[in-house]
Amino acid sequence: MGERCAKRRGLSIAIGTERALRRANRYAARLLLSALLSAIPMNIEKNKVVTFHYTVFEADGSQVETSQGRDPLHILQGAGNIIPGLEKALEGKAAGDRVDVTVEPAEAYGERSDALLQRVPKKRFGDARLSPGQTLMVQTQQGPRPLTVVKVGMSVVDVDLNHPMAGKTLRFEVDIQDVRDASEEEIAHGHAHGPGGHDH
């Protein structure tokens, strides 16, 4: 009788040990899978927030703008936060990648249009001091838009509503710093939040 009880206890211990080992193995496997997945770079695709530094050059090689030396830019991929040509060039890339792309006007700020050269009453600018070459931001039905003062008359002002970079082929050097999933709020708002993005 005692021998049988001892055998049962031994069997129970063996079964319990085996179950514990299986649980431990499953847990270890989950940890390993998690580690492997976290080591896989996240590629840029729609609804990813992308953090990057950029430098823009005109076709002649002259530098237009750079983010180096200040905070990088944060954008929501697929939301039209940046020009189409650059957004397409970022697709599929990952953190650590460097992108060098030349973008034609049609995929950048568009071609220049004479229809966007307009004459408006000077009183619309209130007491603002205007001078040729001055750039202002104005609100339009399509959102904020840069406006360049061409000529200032006594009662009217000639303005150019073309983007300053319209009609230009541009080259972008981009260093991708980070790629992450966008939050539901960022997707709903259509832009990235936080430093380098939008604050609410």
Side-chain angles (χ1 to χ4, degrees), residues 24 29 35 46 51 67 74 84 111 116 124 128 131 142 160-161 177:
K46 185 177 175 63
T51 302
S67 68
H74 299 250
E111 299 289 355
L116 295 177
R124 287 194 181 180
S131 59
Q142 289 75 40
D160 184 357
L161 286 168
Q177 308 291 305

mmCIF file of all heavy atoms in Angstrom, residues 24 29 35 46 51 67 74 84 111 116 124 128 131 142 160-161 177:
data_model
loop_
_atom_site.group_PDB
_atom_site.id
_atom_site.type_symbol
_atom_site.label_atom_id
_atom_site.label_comp_id
_atom_site.label_asym_id
_atom_site.label_seq_id
_atom_site.Cartn_x
_atom_site.Cartn_y
_atom_site.Cartn_z
ATOM 1 N N ALA A 24 6.934 26.823 -18.992
ATOM 2 C CA ALA A 24 8.170 27.609 -19.063
ATOM 3 C C ALA A 24 8.665 27.717 -20.501
ATOM 4 O O ALA A 24 9.113 28.783 -20.946
ATOM 5 C CB ALA A 24 9.249 26.983 -18.175
ATOM 6 N N ALA A 29 9.321 30.820 -25.389
ATOM 7 C CA ALA A 29 9.080 30.966 -26.824
ATOM 8 C C ALA A 29 8.409 32.307 -27.129
ATOM 9 O O ALA A 29 8.744 32.966 -28.116
ATOM 10 C CB ALA A 29 8.215 29.813 -27.327
ATOM 11 N N ALA A 35 11.060 39.293 -28.845
ATOM 12 C CA ALA A 35 12.373 39.899 -29.074
ATOM 13 C C ALA A 35 12.702 39.941 -30.562
ATOM 14 O O ALA A 35 13.239 40.933 -31.073
ATOM 15 C CB ALA A 35 13.446 39.121 -28.318
ATOM 16 N N LYS A 46 1.336 53.495 -44.883
ATOM 17 C CA LYS A 46 0.226 54.357 -44.482
ATOM 18 C C LYS A 46 -0.048 54.229 -42.983
ATOM 19 O O LYS A 46 -0.036 53.135 -42.426
ATOM 20 C CB LYS A 46 -1.030 53.999 -45.277
ATOM 21 C CG LYS A 46 -2.229 54.922 -45.010
ATOM 22 C CD LYS A 46 -3.398 54.539 -45.907
ATOM 23 C CE LYS A 46 -4.638 55.346 -45.586
ATOM 24 N NZ LYS A 46 -4.474 56.789 -45.821
ATOM 25 N N THR A 51 9.783 59.994 -38.379
ATOM 26 C CA THR A 51 10.619 61.085 -37.888
ATOM 27 C C THR A 51 11.880 61.134 -38.741
ATOM 28 O O THR A 51 12.554 60.108 -38.900
ATOM 29 C CB THR A 51 11.003 60.853 -36.415
ATOM 30 O OG1 THR A 51 9.809 60.744 -35.632
ATOM 31 C CG2 THR A 51 11.848 61.993 -35.881
ATOM 32 N N SER A 67 16.725 70.748 -41.865
ATOM 33 C CA SER A 67 16.280 70.592 -40.473
ATOM 34 C C SER A 67 17.453 70.266 -39.561
ATOM 35 O O SER A 67 17.285 70.183 -38.347
ATOM 36 C CB SER A 67 15.232 69.474 -40.371
ATOM 37 O OG SER A 67 15.831 68.211 -40.639
ATOM 38 N N HIS A 74 8.251 65.385 -38.000
ATOM 39 C CA HIS A 74 7.411 64.213 -37.747
ATOM 40 C C HIS A 74 6.201 64.309 -38.667
ATOM 41 O O HIS A 74 5.483 65.314 -38.637
ATOM 42 C CB HIS A 74 6.918 64.170 -36.293
ATOM 43 C CG HIS A 74 8.022 64.101 -35.288
ATOM 44 N ND1 HIS A 74 8.279 62.982 -34.531
ATOM 45 C CD2 HIS A 74 8.934 65.019 -34.912
ATOM 46 C CE1 HIS A 74 9.304 63.214 -33.729
ATOM 47 N NE2 HIS A 74 9.718 64.447 -33.938
ATOM 48 N N PRO A 84 3.928 64.969 -52.525
ATOM 49 C CA PRO A 84 3.705 63.578 -52.967
ATOM 50 C C PRO A 84 4.981 62.834 -53.358
ATOM 51 O O PRO A 84 5.144 61.658 -53.020
ATOM 52 C CB PRO A 84 2.778 63.740 -54.182
ATOM 53 C CG PRO A 84 2.082 65.047 -53.959
ATOM 54 C CD PRO A 84 3.080 65.923 -53.277
ATOM 55 N N GLU A 111 3.490 73.181 -61.075
ATOM 56 C CA GLU A 111 4.019 74.137 -62.059
ATOM 57 C C GLU A 111 3.499 75.530 -61.727
ATOM 58 O O GLU A 111 2.460 75.690 -61.082
ATOM 59 C CB GLU A 111 3.580 73.737 -63.468
ATOM 60 C CG GLU A 111 4.061 72.365 -63.918
ATOM 61 C CD GLU A 111 5.557 72.307 -64.197
ATOM 62 O OE1 GLU A 111 6.212 73.378 -64.137
ATOM 63 O OE2 GLU A 111 6.070 71.212 -64.466
ATOM 64 N N LEU A 116 -2.543 82.504 -61.033
ATOM 65 C CA LEU A 116 -2.318 82.800 -59.621
ATOM 66 C C LEU A 116 -1.619 84.142 -59.401
ATOM 67 O O LEU A 116 -1.285 84.501 -58.275
ATOM 68 C CB LEU A 116 -1.515 81.676 -58.966
ATOM 69 C CG LEU A 116 -2.233 80.318 -58.909
ATOM 70 C CD1 LEU A 116 -1.328 79.249 -58.319
ATOM 71 C CD2 LEU A 116 -3.526 80.422 -58.105
ATOM 72 N N ARG A 124 -7.207 95.358 -48.221
ATOM 73 C CA ARG A 124 -7.330 94.002 -47.674
ATOM 74 C C ARG A 124 -6.182 93.648 -46.729
ATOM 75 O O ARG A 124 -6.300 92.731 -45.923
ATOM 76 C CB ARG A 124 -7.391 92.974 -48.798
ATOM 77 C CG ARG A 124 -8.701 92.973 -49.555
ATOM 78 C CD ARG A 124 -8.815 91.740 -50.396
ATOM 79 N NE ARG A 124 -10.045 91.707 -51.165
ATOM 80 C CZ ARG A 124 -10.382 90.740 -51.983
ATOM 81 N NH1 ARG A 124 -9.551 89.697 -52.152
ATOM 82 N NH2 ARG A 124 -11.512 90.767 -52.653
ATOM 83 N N ALA A 128 -0.687 96.758 -42.754
ATOM 84 C CA ALA A 128 0.581 96.060 -42.985
ATOM 85 C C ALA A 128 1.467 96.844 -43.954
ATOM 86 O O ALA A 128 0.994 97.402 -44.939
ATOM 87 C CB ALA A 128 0.305 94.665 -43.546
ATOM 88 N N SER A 131 6.112 95.328 -49.225
ATOM 89 C CA SER A 131 7.216 95.636 -50.137
ATOM 90 C C SER A 131 7.389 94.488 -51.115
ATOM 91 O O SER A 131 7.112 93.326 -50.773
ATOM 92 C CB SER A 131 8.512 95.875 -49.359
ATOM 93 O OG SER A 131 8.846 94.731 -48.594
ATOM 94 N N GLN A 142 -8.384 76.289 -49.300
ATOM 95 C CA GLN A 142 -7.554 75.089 -49.248
ATOM 96 C C GLN A 142 -6.603 75.100 -48.046
ATOM 97 O O GLN A 142 -5.745 74.246 -47.917
ATOM 98 C CB GLN A 142 -6.728 74.954 -50.541
ATOM 99 C CG GLN A 142 -7.541 74.593 -51.778
ATOM 100 C CD GLN A 142 -8.335 75.787 -52.302
ATOM 101 O OE1 GLN A 142 -7.841 76.919 -52.309
ATOM 102 N NE2 GLN A 142 -9.557 75.541 -52.753
ATOM 103 N N ASP A 160 1.488 87.198 -56.029
ATOM 104 C CA ASP A 160 1.720 85.905 -56.683
ATOM 105 C C ASP A 160 1.353 84.812 -55.689
ATOM 106 O O ASP A 160 1.993 84.664 -54.643
ATOM 107 C CB ASP A 160 3.191 85.797 -57.089
ATOM 108 C CG ASP A 160 3.499 84.520 -57.859
ATOM 109 O OD1 ASP A 160 2.581 83.691 -58.039
ATOM 110 O OD2 ASP A 160 4.665 84.353 -58.279
ATOM 111 N N LEU A 161 0.314 84.038 -56.002
ATOM 112 C CA LEU A 161 -0.143 82.959 -55.115
ATOM 113 C C LEU A 161 0.519 81.614 -55.421
ATOM 114 O O LEU A 161 0.205 80.609 -54.795
ATOM 115 C CB LEU A 161 -1.661 82.825 -55.200
ATOM 116 C CG LEU A 161 -2.451 83.940 -54.495
ATOM 117 C CD1 LEU A 161 -3.924 83.891 -54.872
ATOM 118 C CD2 LEU A 161 -2.285 83.844 -52.990
ATOM 119 N N GLN A 177 14.944 58.817 -38.866
ATOM 120 C CA GLN A 177 15.326 58.601 -37.475
ATOM 121 C C GLN A 177 14.480 57.524 -36.792
ATOM 122 O O GLN A 177 14.987 56.728 -36.016
ATOM 123 C CB GLN A 177 15.172 59.917 -36.685
ATOM 124 C CG GLN A 177 15.864 61.112 -37.323
ATOM 125 C CD GLN A 177 17.365 61.000 -37.267
ATOM 126 O OE1 GLN A 177 17.918 60.833 -36.192
ATOM 127 N NE2 GLN A 177 18.033 61.088 -38.400
#
